[in-house]
Amino acid sequence: MSKQTEGVPYLDLASEFHSLRDDWIAAIDRLGGKAAFILGDAVNAFQQEACDYIGCKHALGVANGTDALVLSLRALGIGPGDEVITSPFTFFATAEAISLVGATPVFADIDESSFNISPASVQAVITDNTRAILPVHIFGHPANMPELRAIADAHGLRLIEDAAQAFGAKSGDGIVGSLGDTGCFSFYPAKVLGCYGDGGLVTTSDEGVYEHLQRLRNHGAIAAFTHTEIGYNSRLDAVQAALLSIKLRKIEEDIDKRQQVANWYDERLEETDAIPPARPDHGRHAFNLYTIRHPRRNALRQALGDANIGTNQCYPQGLHLQQVYHHLGYKPGDLPATDQLCTETLSLPIFPGMTVAQVERVCEIIRKV
């Protein structure tokens, strides 16, 4: 076996960086010459490019994906006494943002196939205090937005998309981030569209929400040194915006490559007891992660680790059972699909530059297990 296929990294950002380095450094030189590092032309340009790609009226660059969620909730008037229904099978920031604005997260169970929040489970937990539904397009698989939109409209609820893992994913013909009242993106380096640091984006087509978001991301200011509310220092910096513009130009190529890697996995896992991730019936999976189910997940992860193959266990425990939310009273068995999937899911290496030989090496170990 060649040295190139002996080990497989979970992610290969170094190779990507080297391929983009010259363009990015040139952009930084231009910014340095103008001394333009906070907001400014580079951020404005990326925001417009993101609007054009996603299909929304407005996009605002913010400091990170968590802030995108917090600012969205604040801009929609959600706070103490309100309930927001969300998924327990996601990164902590989704629920954390709800708590940070003083609202209460209410966890609905997930669909075993897509790993996304179940519309039927959402419907079952709506109360008089419910103000919003916050689905997560988990791992790049779009949530069932038509059904969630119908539920939100029927009950007069806001719909906030956590699209942190799903830049470029589609529900039907619509790109995620254009389907709710707001869309929230993270540009953490490991994302489908990632920067080399922290960054985030909020999208909306609501003029009033957009104007509120503009104030909130910049200390609640309506003009220099003029403030109408308590806001945040949450501005995407120009250096990261310049990189994101460069990467956005090749986002379709990168998503195509991720889907090719996913196809290679699908073909090679057919004769194993690993269950590949589902694809949306109407839409497009962006494959931020390639997450399988396996009945002996822990043994499989150990075998892959022993072979120097990177994996990630997303997520080992649902948010409803985390210590920080014990006061909400959830118990094992309350959300059975989530509890089960937390014992079976494993994310395998996937990135645009991954080779078929690397996929074959990963699947070789899975077949042995």
Side-chain angles (χ1 to χ4, degrees), residues 122-143:
V122 169
Q123 182 71 58
V125 296
I126 292 173
T127 73
D128 290 342
N129 294 322
T130 306
R131 288 289 307 282
I133 304 169
L134 205 173
V136 182
H137 304 300
I138 199 71
F139 306 145
H141 191 299

Side-chain angles (χ1 to χ4, degrees), residues 228-245:
T228 58
E229 62 186 310
I230 302 298
Y232 304 84
N233 179 6
S234 184
R235 302 169 302 210
L236 179 65
D237 75 72
V239 168
Q240 299 298 344
L243 172 68
L244 290 165
S245 286

Side-chain angles (χ1 to χ4, degrees), residues 239-252:
V239 168
Q240 299 298 344
L243 172 68
L244 290 165
S245 286
I246 293 167
K247 295 182 73 172
L248 183 56
R249 295 171 202 147
K250 65 185 194 69
I251 191 68
E252 287 297 311

Side-chain angles (χ1 to χ4, degrees), residues 89 109-110 112 293-295 297 315-316 320 333 335-345:
F89 192 70
D109 210 359
I110 60 174
E112 290 189 14
R293 296 177 63 182
H294 196 278
R297 189 268 311 282
Y315 298 92
H320 63 302
L335 304 177
T338 301
D339 293 347
Q340 181 65 34
L341 287 168
C342 284
T343 70
E344 296 180 350
T345 47

Side-chain angles (χ1 to χ4, degrees), residues 62 86 131 349:
V62 296
T86 194
R131 288 289 307 282

Side-chain angles (χ1 to χ4, degrees), residues 139-362:
F139 306 145
H141 191 299
N144 188 335
M145 293 303 292
E147 289 193 26
L148 293 171
R149 179 83 268 176
I151 293 170
D153 289 347
H155 293 272
L157 306 176
R158 294 294 200 168
L159 186 59
I160 304 166
E161 298 177 74
D162 183 339
Q165 301 183 17
F167 198 96
K170 293 181 180 180
S171 177
D173 294 328
I175 294 183
V176 301
S178 68
L179 308 171
D181 295 295
T182 62
C184 305
F185 294 89
S186 167
F187 298 133
Y188 183 78
K191 305 302 185 186
V192 176
L193 180 65
C195 54
Y196 296 149
D198 274 316
L201 188 77
V202 186
T203 55
T204 187
S205 292
D206 185 308
E207 294 293 333
V209 171
Y210 169 65
E211 291 173 4
H212 198 177
L213 286 165
Q214 283 186 303
R215 297 194 301 272
L216 288 172
R217 76 165 173 180
N218 193 26
H219 300 286
I222 57 171
F225 309 113
T226 306
H227 308 267
T228 58
E229 62 186 310
I230 302 298
Y232 304 84
N233 179 6
S234 184
R235 302 169 302 210
L236 179 65
D237 75 72
V239 168
Q240 299 298 344
L243 172 68
L244 290 165
S245 286
I246 293 167
K247 295 182 73 172
L248 183 56
R249 295 171 202 147
K250 65 185 194 69
I251 191 68
E252 287 297 311
E253 176 186 344
D254 283 351
I255 292 174
D256 285 347
K257 289 178 178 178
R258 287 176 178 274
Q259 291 184 323
Q260 177 63 75
V261 173
N263 290 338
W264 289 335
Y265 272 128
D266 287 354
E267 294 165 2
R268 287 160 177 78
L269 293 177
E270 284 184 356
E271 303 303 321
T272 75
D273 50 3
I275 301 174
R279 310 292 182 98
D281 292 332
H282 305 287
R284 177 172 74 174
H285 201 310
F287 283 108
N288 183 193
L289 299 181
Y290 186 91
T291 303
I292 63 169
R293 296 177 63 182
H294 196 278
R296 296 177 305 285
R297 189 268 311 282
N298 293 343
L300 175 60
R301 190 177 193 200
Q302 180 65 51
L304 290 165
D306 291 345
N308 197 27
I309 293 170
T311 61
N312 204 353
Q313 191 175 326
C314 300
Y315 298 92
Q317 185 181 46
L319 297 184
H320 63 302
L321 299 179
Q322 297 274 344
Q323 181 178 347
V324 68
Y325 287 130
H326 278 187
H327 66 282
L328 297 179
Y330 292 94
K331 303 180 299 298
D334 287 347
L335 304 177
T338 301
D339 293 347
Q340 181 65 34
L341 287 168
C342 284
T343 70
E344 296 180 350
T345 47
L346 186 67
S347 298
L348 303 178
I350 188 168
F351 47 91
M354 194 171 180
T355 67
V356 67
Q358 289 175 316
V359 172
E360 179 57 43
R361 175 59 177 155
V362 176

Side-chain angles (χ1 to χ4, degrees), residues 20-93:
L20 300 174
R21 181 183 181 280
D22 290 346
D23 286 344
W24 190 34
I25 297 302
I28 293 172
D29 282 341
R30 290 193 296 273
L31 292 170
K34 297 177 182 178
F37 301 109
I38 301 295
L39 298 180
D41 291 345
V43 174
N44 290 337
F46 171 68
Q47 289 174 166
Q48 186 58 56
E49 291 157 4
C51 280
D52 294 342
Y53 179 84
I54 293 168
C56 57
K57 290 183 179 177
H58 303 290
L60 281 92
V62 296
N64 52 66
T66 306
D67 280 5
L69 291 163
V70 170
L71 269 62
S72 285
L73 290 159
R74 280 279 310 273
L76 294 169
I78 295 167
D82 297 332
E83 294 178 351
V84 179
I85 300 170
T86 194
S87 171
F89 192 70
T90 179
F91 183 62
F92 180 61

